[in-house]
Amino acid sequence: MRCAAHLAALGDALASIVFPAHCPACGAYVEERGGWCAACLSRTVQPHRLAVSTEACAALDGAWAVGSYAGALGKLIRDLKYRGRRGALPYIHAALLAAKLPQEIVSADLAVCVPLHAERQTERGFNQAELIFAAWLKAQGMSLSESLARSRATAPQYGLGERARIENVRGAFSLSLAEKGGALLAGKRILLLDDILTTGATLGSCAAVLRKAGAASVYALALASDRS
Ligand SMILES: [Zn+2]
């Protein structure tokens, strides 16, 4: 074990000589792999509250995004999701840990990730929201509950208008088998997690199931949003 740790450290040292660590936004050299330069980190990590007054978001008490999808966060998400590049994760984790989030988000009792359909998860090999928020949840001491399941496959939300997005995910989520009856959720303040929030239709559809199961409140946190 110790030998493996030494080898890993040696590997990291060699990698930093051959591939020096650099900021994911501007490419400037930085000290640590996974680190950002200070200017890009403060430009990228801009937590903001999103309006939840629309029909898509009706079941949410509030929603926050850590930053804009248009910049470096969007690229890191696409690298992870569509190219399977887990090397994007240390940058994502650093951005999340740098975000100052409000009490309504950090004081949740329990976190729930938006689930993928089983087939999609097998094909991709991971649920991106679980990987994205793993380090942040650990730092918060917040546990993750696999309370939700995607009961049917849905078409990608990308490119659909708000009305079509609501219809696309209507009834697509249910309580997972382990959570039938929602005993774990009753009276709890739930934090729903996803990589991106666009109209909020997916998060809203999940929130409706959690509310029905007795959740006291449901707030959403997305890594990135293309809404201001
Ligand atoms: Zn930079």
Side-chain angles (χ1 to χ4, degrees), residues 105 107-112 137 142-147 179 184-185 188-193 217 219:
I105 297 294
S107 68
D109 299 312
L110 205 58
V112 176
L137 286 170
M142 199 184 292
S143 42
L144 186 66
S145 158
E146 295 189 357
S147 303
E179 198 44 51
L184 241 171
L185 300 167
K188 296 278 168 47
R189 294 165 299 170
I190 307 292
L191 180 62
L192 255 175
L193 302 171
S217 64
Y219 284 87

Side-chain angles (χ1 to χ4, degrees), residues 20-208:
H22 59 85
C23 170
C26 71
Y29 292 123
V30 291
E31 275 181 30
E32 248 180 85
R33 195 162 298 278
W36 298 64
C37 78
C40 289
L41 188 64
S42 67
R43 208 172 17 245
T44 303
V45 178
Q46 303 261 358
H48 54 289
R49 182 193 289 275
L50 300 161
V52 291
S53 53
T54 57
E55 184 189 347
C57 293
L60 287 169
D61 290 289
W64 283 75
V66 171
S68 164
Y69 185 74
L73 289 179
K75 184 182 179 303
L76 290 166
I77 291 171
R78 291 190 298 278
D79 279 351
L80 173 68
K81 242 168 115 169
Y82 304 120
R83 303 180 192 102
R85 291 187 189 150
R86 290 180 190 233
L89 284 169
Y91 299 109
I92 291 173
H93 291 167
L96 263 166
L97 291 171
K100 291 203 167 36
L101 292 162
Q103 201 58 22
E104 64 202 37
I105 297 294
V106 299
S107 68
D109 299 312
L110 205 58
V112 176
C113 286
V114 169
L116 301 180
H117 190 255
E119 275 172 33
R120 172 72 57 81
Q121 174 132 1
T122 305
E123 179 192 320
R124 190 172 287 165
F126 56 85
N127 175 328
Q128 69 275 5
E130 284 177 21
L131 296 185
I132 284 170
F133 288 96
W136 183 81
L137 286 170
K138 197 172 172 196
Q140 298 294 326
M142 199 184 292
S143 42
L144 186 66
S145 158
E146 295 189 357
S147 303
L148 288 179
R150 202 178 279 244
S151 33
R152 63 176 170 81
T154 52
Q157 296 280 69
Y158 180 79
L160 300 178
E162 177 163 0
R163 167 63 30 205
R165 283 172 183 250
I166 293 173
E167 293 305 326
N168 189 34
V169 293
R170 191 188 294 280
F173 300 95
S174 56
L175 290 181
S176 64
L177 282 177
E179 198 44 51
K180 281 290 180 214
L184 241 171
L185 300 167
K188 296 278 168 47
R189 294 165 299 170
I190 307 292
L191 180 62
L192 255 175
L193 302 171
D194 207 0
D195 52 347
I196 307 166
L197 188 154
T198 303
T199 61
T202 301
L203 286 155
S205 183
C206 288

